[in-house]
Amino acid sequence: MKRLNIGMIGAGRISRVHTPNLVNRVTGARLVALADPDLEAARALCTPLGIERVVPDYRELLQDPDIDAVFICSPTDTHVEIALAAAGAGKHIFCEKPIDQDVSRIRKVIEAVESAGVKCQVGFNRRFDRNFRRIHELVREGALGEVQLVKISSRDPQAPPVSYVVGSGGIFADMTIHDFDMAAHLSGSRITEVSAVGSCLIDPGIGEAGDVDTCIVKLRLSSGALAVIDNSRQAVYGYDQRVEVFGSKGMVAAENERPNNTTLSLASGVYEEKPLWFFLERYTEAFVQEEQAFVDACLKDEPVPISARDSLAPVLVAIAAQKSCDLGGQPVKVEE
Amino acid sequence: MKRLNIGMIGAGRISRVHTPNLVNRVTGARLVALADPDLEAARALCTPLGIERVVPDYRELLQDPDIDAVFICSPTDTHVEIALAAAGAGKHIFCEKPIDQDVSRIRKVIEAVESAGVKCQVGFNRRFDRNFRRIHELVREGALGEVQLVKISSRDPQAPPVSYVVGSGGIFADMTIHDFDMAAHLSGSRITEVSAVGSCLIDPGIGEAGDVDTCIVKLRLSSGALAVIDNSRQAVYGYDQRVEVFGSKGMVAAENERPNNTTLSLASGVYEEKPLWFFLERYTEAFVQEEQAFVDACLKDEPVPISARDSLAPVLVAIAAQKSCDLGGQPVKVEE
Amino acid sequence: MKRLNIGMIGAGRISRVHTPNLVNRVTGARLVALADPDLEAARALCTPLGIERVVPDYRELLQDPDIDAVFICSPTDTHVEIALAAAGAGKHIFCEKPIDQDVSRIRKVIEAVESAGVKCQVGFNRRFDRNFRRIHELVREGALGEVQLVKISSRDPQAPPVSYVVGSGGIFADMTIHDFDMAAHLSGSRITEVSAVGSCLIDPGIGEAGDVDTCIVKLRLSSGALAVIDNSRQAVYGYDQRVEVFGSKGMVAAENERPNNTTLSLASGVYEEKPLWFFLERYTEAFVQEEQAFVDACLKDEPVPISARDSLAPVLVAIAAQKSCDLGGQPVKVEE
Amino acid sequence: MKRLNIGMIGAGRISRVHTPNLVNRVTGARLVALADPDLEAARALCTPLGIERVVPDYRELLQDPDIDAVFICSPTDTHVEIALAAAGAGKHIFCEKPIDQDVSRIRKVIEAVESAGVKCQVGFNRRFDRNFRRIHELVREGALGEVQLVKISSRDPQAPPVSYVVGSGGIFADMTIHDFDMAAHLSGSRITEVSAVGSCLIDPGIGEAGDVDTCIVKLRLSSGALAVIDNSRQAVYGYDQRVEVFGSKGMVAAENERPNNTTLSLASGVYEEKPLWFFLERYTEAFVQEEQAFVDACLKDEPVPISARDSLAPVLVAIAAQKSCDLGGQPVKVEE
């Protein structure tokens, strides 16, 4: 059986998702080495999984002719440098989102991977969630007729520390960007105009850092349909990830995932399980599917599902949303 | 518009359901008088509803040629006497369930009403519940194919006092009888054999009174299908009334009714409303539908939905169930 | 028992809801007469309900000293004239929504009823829905903490004819107005700013009439919270009326009401019942509660739940929403 | 890290579940070889998973001192022979259910493994399902108070061929046995008495083979609680696996698992996803958990969750159920 030899770059939080999956759960993947300047962290991750080759410098992986592809799971500000080098070395790339906050730098990566003829998939993992895939399928099959409204609620279980917010690029670039991708993906349309209002209702420190923690964003789509996203940095009942698409023939809605399907009826009330706690729990299987899709695309030489070019669109929307919010909610056209 | 002039007999708990409904909610009904030896209770019920005629003796109502029908809502041990007199007076009869615990006495009423040519409807109100009506409709339409299994859970929110249990005829005659009627009604079959096991798990006093408070009853139906009923005298989360019918083409299941459709998601859990508290809350609308069906049948001279004869079948099943339980769960044929 | 003598004005669609309810279901109400220029329609409604007094001119009711209150259920463009006359005659008023499309004319009614010291309740019936009442209660009790987001989906089952749309005042004044009232009522806040986008996606005729049939409206509330409403003139699966309130301590969400609680599992899929068809079905009980609240307030001399003054606020928001939509979605402050 | 070296015996349907899981998903497992007389089938399973050692005779694995444990996934009539040999060779054993249909032969295995001091876990995989685990946890924690009623619905999506039924030992030994284990496990009680009724409603061929395809079984538990199981060989809407436990403090119920959480609302109705198709889909993760539990118990030298001795109890209940059914539903005591 053909295998894709993969080098993992980074041993941080998201690498701890991808690395065991690539070792154990992704058919056709062979993770051969991991690079991280923090060799101790790298070994802590690799040894129990039986990966012996651990190196401090990702360039070592790029020079290895046996490595077909790299996963870029290093800090965001290193993505562009590594992606350009990987493209130059002719490696296929899986790059965690976002490639960068800066549009011109993203464009450089797009050009590099396209001219090198390597694949570059960006980690919009939610597209692989079983619920959202089903919605996408129903829309594409025409089960809903013409899409008219898209509604997305996306709320985190816990506000991040202000220190994180400061470097995050703001709620639209950091959090809503997933929903921008989803709104366009599920509707099969382009986002043409955005208007956003935000408030700081959860942590005043987030407001002092110039960001908001609660927002509502309205979108116009190229088809004429409308969409709305609401975000909160803190839903005390857990990670709230629901989507609804409404069309001329009907509606499809996806509920949250729960740790099990039990209902407990007591004298004090009837209890269901809360949603799965956060993205690692909710999107566990979506990560596997995403990785599998990348490996399959590389092995079969087919297009990846979310290319570097595809990943630019939600960044442009996030920029427009930030501008709209700064202008007090005025509608802003999305740059093409 | 034609009206049915009705005399109400009894001013107790169930009369306090039927009387206001007949005054306010049942089209074609005109409640003209109420009879109860306790005139004070009678007036307390009637005056706010604008019913002026209150009499101590039900015979006065039977002698009134303007009265077309009576509702027998007096204590159970008076049902037969009143029903026989009402039939003799040519009045249509709505009789609360059960007509009697004694089969030969029920047969007397059947003969009396049939020879008098008056209508006699017995109060199996659950058949009129919107959920169970929908199930009945689906079965009758053939949506489920051949019925194979019927499952009924029927649990009260609070155990009655032991004093009530003593005179109740036992759990099968008092409580399960509704479920026997439902199993036969929903499946469109006759119950031919029953086996019942019971335990006293809630109130030892019920056991000392020779009854059980928890039971499971298996039924064989004339079609070959099987049914199972579980009863409890005390479900601490409220009145639990669920039915499921399973057939060769599929299954239909009815969930409980709740006071509203809200879900509350808190850090401590996700809460739904508990079921409606007890039969007065759960079957509020079913009582109105039941009364309407009786009034309509009288006005249009059509058969009533549950005749005195129909009401005999679940009594015979209850007797067989009690016998089975007394025999430690041996299957017992139901007398035809 | 004290009764409120009521004169009904109008025999059209909404009167056909209120009239039987007042006769049969509202405690303390006595409907004594109905006025409508179309005497035939009036009698068709009144005779089966036993209301004998039918007059062509509402002024006759206002002159009757035995009449305590009137229900104004005539065409919208007659509301102000009748309300002013009723206030002048010292009658309490229940007026269907809206009092008028014109703010200055509404203010005249406010002044008239306040100076006459009569009660004037406006028909925002949804506040009395069992689900939305429960949400309101939870918010008021503080179960959700500080309200941060309100989400309302409100979609009709069928687009009205273009002829209706032409005289409706536009989607915001005709349809979203209920949701504006609800957003403010449920959050306990005032709406301070609105931005609206709309599209014509269902019936091009609605677009030609200068209106939209699909819209998303964002609101800023005086508390700092945000709200979003989506409306569609046509949800093919039925009347879609859902509300969600999200706060610092949790979220409460209300699902649609269905004709029954059954689920049908077939080889072809698992089916639930569709939502109740339209507002007459969905809000049947809410209408009764609304009428009861009015009658109670009059009999006990307490404030009505939605006064003429209260009813002005959503009109002002609707005007701002229309302006925002005409300006392509720019945020517009709501006039105080 | 310590690893458990495992030899797999059998390359059939259930081995195709366990083998890839042991290779990819179970921490601490190292599958080193597979034995099956059908070497072609064995290689088809092993080669893509990178297992190189494939042998025709399981005895070869038992002679290998490097192998710590075996999975017995061969045909049922070979289980006892292999288990005895494995115990004799000092290997830990995971044996698919049932060890055998014959009680005396099962007892031989119990004695053999106990005297050899090896672990022997039997494959009652459902105990590891996330829903049933949650129910077990709630019961054990006392959240439901004293258990009073247990209700299990267990229905297959498709009747097996009559040829399978003939060798299956009958519905109680083949299908209900899982539910007997579950009723005892979830309630924390022993089953003391059983009464069973069955019908042949789906495939007359099953009746001709002397078996039933639809049954209801009532159980008495050692605690005094009651339980009821319903089984059908064919639920056309899919694999129906629901459990409900009712106690003095409340009830917990587990719903089916679905492929995703979407709801589709169309003009023709509101659709949910059907349950996952069959046990391979429904219990995918339960198999992994079961395997992990075995590997953990071996590595840590702790008791396995379901020993050979534990597996005897449901066999004895199945025998009693068959006897009861043959006697027309008479209650039968379970042999201890």
Side-chain angles (χ1 to χ4, degrees):
Chain A
M1 200 185 59
K2 226 163 90 183
R3 293 279 185 133
L4 189 74
N5 290 323
I6 298 171
M8 173 63 61
I9 300 171
R13 183 171 70 165
I14 199 70
S15 176
R16 287 197 293 271
V17 173
H18 290 305
T19 300
N21 283 345
L22 289 170
V23 171
N24 293 323
R25 304 210 42 201
V26 177
T27 306
R30 182 187 288 129
L31 207 158
V32 295
L34 185 147
D36 196 291
D38 181 346
L39 281 174
E40 201 170 340
R43 282 199 199 99
L45 173 59
C46 289
T47 308
L49 293 164
I51 308 166
E52 284 162 24
R53 191 168 161 213
V54 166
V55 301
D57 189 337
Y58 72 88
R59 274 165 290 216
E60 204 174 317
L61 305 185
L62 300 184
Q63 285 153 14
D64 182 343
D66 286 345
I67 287 182
D68 305 307
V70 291
F71 269 63
I72 306 180
C73 299
S74 52
T76 300
D77 58 7
T78 68
H79 287 181
V80 170
E81 172 202 314
I82 300 175
L84 295 176
K91 307 300 184 197
H92 297 307
I93 298 165
F94 179 98
C95 185
E96 263 309 317
K97 69 142 276 268
I99 294 181
D100 202 88
Q101 306 281 12
D102 183 89
V103 172
S104 65
R105 284 165 59 81
I106 298 172
R107 289 199 203 276
K108 267 192 209 152
V109 172
I110 295 171
E111 281 157 31
V113 299
E114 292 185 351
S115 78
V118 297
K119 298 181 192 302
C120 178
Q121 180 173 331
V122 183
F124 282 99
N125 59 295
R126 289 190 201 169
R127 288 199 191 186
F128 299 90
D129 175 76
R130 62 181 195 165
N131 298 294
F132 305 146
R133 278 200 304 181
R134 178 67 181 139
I135 292 180
H136 185 249
E137 199 175 277
L138 286 164
V139 171
R140 210 182 37 206
E141 286 170 359
L144 306 177
E146 296 299 315
V147 172
Q148 296 172 344
L149 288 167
V150 177
K151 262 173 67 181
I152 299 178
S153 284
S154 177
R155 303 165 188 165
D156 285 352
Q158 218 166 29
V162 173
S163 59
Y164 172 88
V165 168
V166 167
S168 71
I171 196 168
F172 304 107
D174 181 55
M175 191 170 164
T176 328
I177 194 166
H178 275 292
D179 307 307
F180 294 140
D181 181 62
M182 197 59 74
H185 175 61
L186 292 179
S187 66
S189 289
R190 215 165 37 78
I191 297 168
T192 57
E193 188 187 284
V194 54
S195 87
V197 292
S199 271
C200 184
L201 302 172
I202 293 160
D203 180 348
I206 293 177
E208 285 155 24
D211 202 1
V212 296
D213 50 34
T214 306
C215 68
I216 291 176
V217 184
K218 269 179 344 209
L219 307 171
R220 270 189 196 281
L221 305 176
S222 52
S223 66
L226 305 173
V228 62
I229 296 162
D230 72 86
N231 285 165
S232 169
R233 285 285 193 186
Q234 183 172 292
V236 294
Y237 50 88
Y239 196 44
D240 194 349
Q241 296 279 299
R242 287 170 292 148
V243 166
E244 190 176 309
V245 178
F246 173 91
S248 57
K249 290 189 183 165
M251 169 175 75
V252 61
E255 274 307 305
N256 283 311
E257 297 278 353
R258 308 184 299 154
N260 59 65
N261 285 340
T262 60
T263 303
L264 179 62
S265 299
L266 301 179
S268 56
V270 176
Y271 300 63
E272 291 182 3
E273 295 286 329
K274 293 195 285 181
L276 290 166
W277 175 247
F278 207 176
F279 71 98
L280 292 178
E281 292 81 13
R282 163 68 189 256
Y283 294 120
T284 302
E285 290 300 315
F287 282 116
V288 176
Q289 298 304 318
E290 163 186 75
E291 296 147 2
Q292 188 68 62
F294 174 71
V295 169
D296 287 351
C298 291
L299 289 176
K300 297 177 189 166
D301 195 14
E302 289 175 352
V304 291
I306 308 128
S307 69
R309 189 172 283 278
D310 297 334
S311 82
L312 184 58
V315 174
L316 295 172
V317 180
I319 290 166
Q322 187 65 57
K323 192 169 160 197
S324 170
C325 189
D326 293 345
L327 291 170
Q330 281 194 30
V332 171
K333 300 277 177 220
V334 176
E335 184 198 341
E336 293 201 32
Chain B
M1 200 187 64
K2 227 163 87 182
R3 292 279 185 135
L4 188 75
N5 290 324
I6 297 171
M8 174 62 62
I9 299 171
R13 183 172 68 167
I14 197 72
S15 175
R16 287 198 291 273
V17 173
H18 290 305
T19 299
N21 282 346
L22 289 170
V23 171
N24 293 324
R25 305 215 35 205
V26 178
T27 307
R30 183 188 287 128
L31 206 160
V32 296
L34 184 147
D36 197 292
D38 181 347
L39 282 174
E40 203 169 339
R43 281 198 200 99
L45 175 58
C46 290
T47 309
L49 294 165
I51 307 166
E52 284 163 23
R53 191 165 161 214
V54 166
V55 300
D57 190 336
Y58 73 88
R59 275 165 289 217
E60 206 175 315
L61 304 186
L62 300 184
Q63 285 154 15
D64 181 342
D66 287 345
I67 287 182
D68 304 310
V70 291
F71 268 62
I72 306 181
C73 298
S74 51
T76 300
D77 57 9
T78 68
H79 286 182
V80 171
E81 173 201 313
I82 300 175
L84 294 175
K91 307 300 186 198
H92 297 308
I93 297 165
F94 179 98
C95 185
E96 261 310 318
K97 69 142 276 266
I99 294 181
D100 202 88
Q101 306 281 12
D102 182 272
V103 172
S104 66
R105 285 166 58 80
I106 298 173
R107 288 200 203 274
K108 267 192 207 150
V109 172
I110 295 172
E111 282 158 30
V113 299
E114 291 186 351
S115 77
V118 297
K119 297 180 194 306
C120 178
Q121 180 173 331
V122 183
F124 283 99
N125 58 295
R126 288 189 202 168
R127 288 199 191 184
F128 300 89
D129 176 77
R130 61 182 195 165
N131 298 295
F132 304 147
R133 279 200 303 180
R134 179 67 181 140
I135 292 180
H136 184 249
E137 200 175 278
L138 286 164
V139 172
R140 211 180 38 206
E141 286 170 359
L144 306 178
E146 297 298 315
V147 171
Q148 297 173 343
L149 288 168
V150 177
K151 261 174 69 182
I152 300 178
S153 283
S154 177
R155 304 166 188 164
D156 285 353
Q158 218 165 29
V162 173
S163 59
Y164 172 89
V165 167
V166 168
S168 71
I171 196 169
F172 304 107
D174 182 55
M175 193 170 162
T176 329
I177 194 165
H178 276 293
D179 307 307
F180 294 140
D181 181 62
M182 197 59 75
H185 175 61
L186 293 180
S187 65
S189 290
R190 214 165 39 75
I191 297 167
T192 58
E193 188 187 284
V194 54
S195 86
V197 291
S199 272
C200 184
L201 302 171
I202 293 159
D203 181 348
I206 292 176
E208 286 155 22
D211 202 1
V212 296
D213 51 31
T214 305
C215 67
I216 290 176
V217 185
K218 268 178 348 210
L219 307 172
R220 269 190 196 281
L221 304 177
S222 52
S223 66
L226 306 173
V228 63
I229 296 161
D230 72 85
N231 285 165
S232 169
R233 285 286 194 186
Q234 183 171 292
V236 295
Y237 51 88
Y239 196 43
D240 194 348
Q241 297 277 299
R242 287 169 293 147
V243 166
E244 189 175 309
V245 178
F246 173 91
S248 56
K249 289 190 185 163
M251 170 176 75
V252 62
E255 273 307 304
N256 284 310
E257 297 276 354
R258 308 185 298 154
N260 59 64
N261 285 340
T262 59
T263 302
L264 179 62
S265 300
L266 301 179
S268 56
V270 175
Y271 300 64
E272 290 182 4
E273 294 286 329
K274 292 195 287 180
L276 289 166
W277 175 246
F278 207 176
F279 71 98
L280 293 178
E281 291 80 13
R282 164 68 189 255
Y283 293 120
T284 302
E285 290 301 314
F287 282 116
V288 176
Q289 298 304 317
E290 163 187 73
E291 297 147 1
Q292 188 69 61
F294 174 70
V295 169
D296 287 352
C298 291
L299 289 176
K300 296 178 189 165
D301 195 14
E302 289 176 351
V304 291
I306 306 128
S307 70
R309 190 171 282 278
D310 296 335
S311 82
L312 185 58
V315 175
L316 294 172
V317 180
I319 290 166
Q322 186 66 58
K323 193 169 158 196
S324 170
C325 190
D326 293 346
L327 292 169
Q330 280 194 28
V332 171
K333 299 276 176 219
V334 177
E335 185 197 339
E336 293 202 30
Chain C
M1 200 186 63
K2 228 163 87 182
R3 292 280 186 133
L4 189 75
N5 289 324
I6 298 171
M8 173 62 62
I9 300 171
R13 183 172 69 165
I14 198 71
S15 175
R16 287 197 293 273
V17 173
H18 290 306
T19 300
N21 282 346
L22 289 170
V23 172
N24 293 323
R25 304 211 41 201
V26 178
T27 306
R30 182 187 286 129
L31 206 160
V32 295
L34 184 147
D36 195 292
D38 180 347
L39 282 174
E40 204 169 339
R43 281 199 199 100
L45 174 58
C46 290
T47 308
L49 292 166
I51 308 166
E52 284 162 23
R53 191 166 160 214
V54 167
V55 301
D57 190 334
Y58 73 88
R59 275 164 289 217
E60 204 174 317
L61 304 185
L62 299 184
Q63 286 153 14
D64 182 342
D66 287 345
I67 286 181
D68 305 310
V70 291
F71 269 62
I72 306 180
C73 299
S74 52
T76 300
D77 57 8
T78 68
H79 286 181
V80 169
E81 173 202 313
I82 300 176
L84 294 175
K91 307 298 186 200
H92 296 310
I93 298 164
F94 179 98
C95 184
E96 263 308 319
K97 69 141 278 267
I99 294 181
D100 202 87
Q101 307 281 11
D102 182 272
V103 172
S104 65
R105 284 165 59 79
I106 297 173
R107 289 199 203 276
K108 266 192 208 151
V109 172
I110 295 171
E111 281 157 30
V113 299
E114 291 186 350
S115 76
V118 297
K119 296 180 194 305
C120 178
Q121 180 173 329
V122 182
F124 282 99
N125 58 295
R126 288 189 201 169
R127 289 200 191 184
F128 299 90
D129 176 77
R130 61 182 194 163
N131 298 297
F132 305 147
R133 278 201 303 181
R134 178 66 182 141
I135 293 181
H136 185 248
E137 200 175 277
L138 286 164
V139 172
R140 211 182 37 206
E141 287 170 358
L144 306 178
E146 297 299 315
V147 171
Q148 296 172 344
L149 288 168
V150 177
K151 262 174 68 182
I152 299 178
S153 283
S154 176
R155 303 165 188 165
D156 286 351
Q158 218 165 30
V162 173
S163 60
Y164 172 88
V165 168
V166 167
S168 71
I171 197 168
F172 304 107
D174 182 55
M175 192 170 163
T176 328
I177 194 166
H178 275 293
D179 307 308
F180 294 141
D181 181 62
M182 196 59 74
H185 174 61
L186 292 180
S187 65
S189 289
R190 215 164 39 76
I191 297 168
T192 57
E193 188 186 285
V194 52
S195 86
V197 291
S199 270
C200 184
L201 302 171
I202 294 159
D203 181 349
I206 292 176
E208 286 155 22
D211 202 0
V212 296
D213 50 33
T214 305
C215 68
I216 290 175
V217 184
K218 267 179 347 207
L219 306 172
R220 269 190 196 280
L221 304 176
S222 52
S223 66
L226 306 173
V228 63
I229 296 162
D230 72 86
N231 286 165
S232 169
R233 285 286 194 186
Q234 183 171 293
V236 296
Y237 51 87
Y239 196 43
D240 195 349
Q241 298 277 300
R242 287 171 292 149
V243 166
E244 189 176 310
V245 179
F246 173 91
S248 55
K249 291 189 184 164
M251 169 176 74
V252 61
E255 273 308 302
N256 283 311
E257 298 277 353
R258 308 185 298 155
N260 58 64
N261 284 341
T262 60
T263 302
L264 179 62
S265 298
L266 302 178
S268 56
V270 176
Y271 300 64
E272 291 182 3
E273 293 286 329
K274 292 194 286 180
L276 290 166
W277 175 246
F278 207 176
F279 71 99
L280 292 179
E281 292 80 13
R282 163 69 190 256
Y283 294 119
T284 303
E285 291 300 315
F287 282 116
V288 177
Q289 298 304 318
E290 163 186 73
E291 296 147 2
Q292 189 68 62
F294 174 70
V295 169
D296 287 351
C298 290
L299 289 176
K300 297 177 187 167
D301 195 13
E302 290 175 351
V304 291
I306 306 127
S307 69
R309 188 170 284 277
D310 296 335
S311 82
L312 184 58
V315 175
L316 294 172
V317 180
I319 290 168
Q322 186 65 59
K323 193 168 157 196
S324 169
C325 189
D326 293 345
L327 292 169
Q330 280 194 28
V332 171
K333 300 277 177 217
V334 177
E335 185 198 341
E336 293 201 29
Chain D
M1 201 186 61
K2 227 163 89 184
R3 293 278 186 135
L4 188 75
N5 289 324
I6 298 172
M8 173 63 61
I9 301 172
R13 184 172 68 166
I14 198 71
S15 175
R16 288 197 291 272
V17 173
H18 290 305
T19 300
N21 282 346
L22 289 170
V23 172
N24 293 323
R25 306 216 34 207
V26 177
T27 307
R30 182 187 288 128
L31 207 159
V32 295
L34 184 148
D36 196 293
D38 182 345
L39 282 173
E40 202 168 341
R43 280 198 201 99
L45 174 58
C46 291
T47 309
L49 294 165
I51 308 166
E52 283 162 24
R53 192 166 160 213
V54 167
V55 301
D57 190 335
Y58 73 88
R59 275 164 289 216
E60 204 173 318
L61 304 186
L62 300 184
Q63 287 154 13
D64 182 343
D66 286 345
I67 287 182
D68 306 308
V70 290
F71 268 62
I72 306 180
C73 299
S74 53
T76 300
D77 57 8
T78 67
H79 287 182
V80 170
E81 173 201 313
I82 300 176
L84 295 176
K91 307 300 184 198
H92 297 307
I93 298 164
F94 179 98
C95 184
E96 262 309 318
K97 66 141 277 266
I99 294 181
D100 201 87
Q101 306 281 10
D102 182 272
V103 173
S104 64
R105 285 165 57 81
I106 298 172
R107 288 199 204 275
K108 266 192 209 151
V109 172
I110 295 172
E111 281 157 32
V113 298
E114 290 185 353
S115 76
V118 296
K119 297 182 194 302
C120 178
Q121 180 172 331
V122 183
F124 283 99
N125 58 296
R126 289 190 201 167
R127 289 199 190 184
F128 300 89
D129 176 76
R130 61 181 195 165
N131 298 294
F132 305 148
R133 278 200 304 180
R134 178 68 181 140
I135 292 180
H136 185 250
E137 197 176 279
L138 286 164
V139 171
R140 210 181 39 205
E141 287 170 359
L144 306 177
E146 297 299 314
V147 171
Q148 297 173 343
L149 288 167
V150 177
K151 263 174 68 182
I152 299 178
S153 284
S154 176
R155 304 166 187 165
D156 285 353
Q158 218 166 29
V162 173
S163 59
Y164 172 88
V165 168
V166 167
S168 71
I171 196 169
F172 304 107
D174 182 54
M175 193 171 163
T176 329
I177 194 166
H178 275 292
D179 307 307
F180 294 140
D181 181 62
M182 198 57 76
H185 174 61
L186 292 180
S187 65
S189 289
R190 214 164 39 77
I191 297 168
T192 58
E193 188 186 284
V194 54
S195 86
V197 292
S199 272
C200 184
L201 302 171
I202 293 159
D203 180 349
I206 292 176
E208 286 155 23
D211 202 1
V212 297
D213 50 32
T214 306
C215 68
I216 291 176
V217 185
K218 269 178 348 209
L219 306 172
R220 269 190 196 280
L221 304 177
S222 52
S223 66
L226 305 173
V228 62
I229 295 161
D230 72 86
N231 285 163
S232 168
R233 284 287 194 185
Q234 184 172 292
V236 295
Y237 51 87
Y239 195 43
D240 194 349
Q241 297 277 300
R242 287 169 293 148
V243 167
E244 189 176 311
V245 178
F246 173 92
S248 56
K249 290 190 184 162
M251 170 176 73
V252 61
E255 274 306 305
N256 283 312
E257 298 277 353
R258 308 185 298 155
N260 59 64
N261 286 339
T262 59
T263 302
L264 179 61
S265 299
L266 302 179
S268 56
V270 176
Y271 300 64
E272 290 181 4
E273 293 287 328
K274 293 195 285 181
L276 289 166
W277 175 246
F278 207 176
F279 72 98
L280 292 179
E281 292 81 11
R282 164 68 189 256
Y283 294 119
T284 303
E285 290 300 315
F287 282 115
V288 177
Q289 299 304 318
E290 163 186 74
E291 296 146 2
Q292 188 68 62
F294 174 71
V295 169
D296 287 350
C298 292
L299 289 176
K300 297 178 189 166
D301 195 14
E302 289 175 352
V304 291
I306 306 129
S307 69
R309 190 170 282 277
D310 296 334
S311 82
L312 184 59
V315 175
L316 295 172
V317 180
I319 290 167
Q322 186 64 58
K323 193 170 159 195
S324 170
C325 190
D326 292 346
L327 292 169
Q330 281 195 30
V332 172
K333 300 276 178 221
V334 176
E335 185 197 341
E336 293 201 32

